[in-house]
Amino acid sequence: MRLATWNVNSIRTRVDRVMAFLDRENIDVLAMQEIKCKPEQFPREPFEAAGYELAVHGLNQWNGVAIASRVGLTDVETSFPGQPTWESASLGGAVVEARALGVTVGGQPAGSTPPPAPDAAAPACAPVRLWSLYVPNGRELTHPHYTYKLDWLRTLREDVAAWLSEDPGLPLALVGDWNVAPRDEDVWDMVAFEGATHVSSPERAAFVAFEQVGMEEVTRSRVTNYTYWDYQKLRFPRNEGMRIDFVYASAALAARVRDAAIDRDERKGKGASDHVPVIVEID
């Protein structure tokens, strides 16, 4: 199974690039963040024509997460238990934002478009419980959104601990835009981030805490690169980027990961997202 995560920064704007990426990289499952649309606005036709099932969660033109799978897609959840709320004027009060989407993928042969007959020789992909995550930004260290971000990560970690306690063999993946640069090497210049979010000690501790409940970040040991470059100040040409998109896997799933890649070239050209895809190869 080739699984990718990508903050697409508006799926309606970038659907052609997304479809080209899926074809070029032979992706079986794509977790998307910042789709910036409601489910009825999502451009389903190209995905469905290419053999992908879709789960889409969006409330308005902000945030939003989606998952496309050509190896099966079941058991959809649009939030994790206890997911913190945020006050939204446009949505009329405190809401659980569209920042988390859980599904089970697998059960069909990888690369099956459309799915083959039941007696096909191709082996089925073993299931994976997958969450596409768009972690809150935090904005500023003194902003309420920063506290919201830390609460969001803490609650998710507690839920993960409970899931793995109940089922230690659960093949679980938490993927997406974490909005945390957990190490100094994950930003181009720590001086430029002094007093800013994404690199603060509480955020980094909240990110690393997932290791303490049995998760492993499976891309860092296999690939080194940034995953995000701001549109401003020529950040990409100067390679002034950040590494904030990650894949956390449970022990059962981490044992099945064989390779990882960051598609840096996807940041090039007209109409690029400010993030690039992160890909993992899973047995």
Side-chain angles (χ1 to χ4, degrees), residues 157-169:
R157 186 195 73 240
E158 291 172 352
D159 286 342
V160 170
W163 298 337
L164 294 180
S165 176
E166 182 178 344
D167 182 2

Side-chain angles (χ1 to χ4, degrees), residues 118-264:
D119 59 350
C125 294
V128 172
R129 186 61 183 168
L130 171 67
W131 283 87
S132 178
L133 304 173
Y134 179 42
V135 177
N137 177 283
R139 301 181 186 175
E140 299 171 357
L141 298 183
T142 57
H143 197 284
H145 209 261
Y146 179 75
T147 302
Y148 168 55
K149 178 180 188 175
L150 296 178
D151 288 344
W152 203 95
L153 287 167
R154 175 186 52 77
T155 304
L156 176 61
R157 186 195 73 240
E158 291 172 352
D159 286 342
V160 170
W163 298 337
L164 294 180
S165 176
E166 182 178 344
D167 182 2
L170 179 68
L172 174 66
L174 309 176
V175 311
D177 177 359
W178 290 77
N179 269 317
V180 179
R183 298 185 185 180
D184 289 358
E185 67 202 57
D186 296 333
V187 297
W188 79 90
D189 183 1
M190 278 297 294
V191 174
F193 284 83
E194 185 175 355
T197 59
H198 292 60
V199 299
S200 71
S201 294
E203 290 167 287
R204 288 180 165 183
F207 181 87
V208 172
F210 284 84
E211 297 177 4
Q212 299 163 9
V213 297
M215 301 295 287
E216 176 186 345
E217 204 295 306
V218 295
T219 68
R220 188 181 296 278
S221 63
R222 295 174 170 89
V223 61
T224 301
N225 212 329
Y226 299 136
T227 63
Y228 165 86
W229 296 261
D230 198 298
Y231 291 126
Q232 307 297 320
K233 301 180 181 179
L234 297 175
R235 294 299 190 203
F236 184 64
R238 294 174 177 172
N239 199 32
E240 295 177 347
M242 303 174 69
R243 187 172 190 168
I244 56 177
D245 301 84
F246 296 97
V247 176
Y248 256 125
S250 63
L253 183 60
R256 291 166 49 192
V257 175
R258 290 294 170 260
D259 201 4
I262 295 172
D263 189 356
R264 187 183 187 278

Side-chain angles (χ1 to χ4, degrees), residues 10 36 42 48 72 74 78 92 94 97 172 212-213 239 242 277 282:
S10 178
K36 295 185 176 180
F42 193 96
E48 292 171 349
T74 59
T78 56
E97 293 186 299
L172 174 66
Q212 299 163 9
V213 297
N239 199 32
M242 303 174 69
I282 302 171

Side-chain angles (χ1 to χ4, degrees), residues 66-84:
I67 296 172
S69 171
R70 64 180 184 183
V71 292
L73 190 156
T74 59
D75 305 323
V76 177
E77 292 184 86
T78 56
S79 64
F80 51 85
Q83 184 174 323

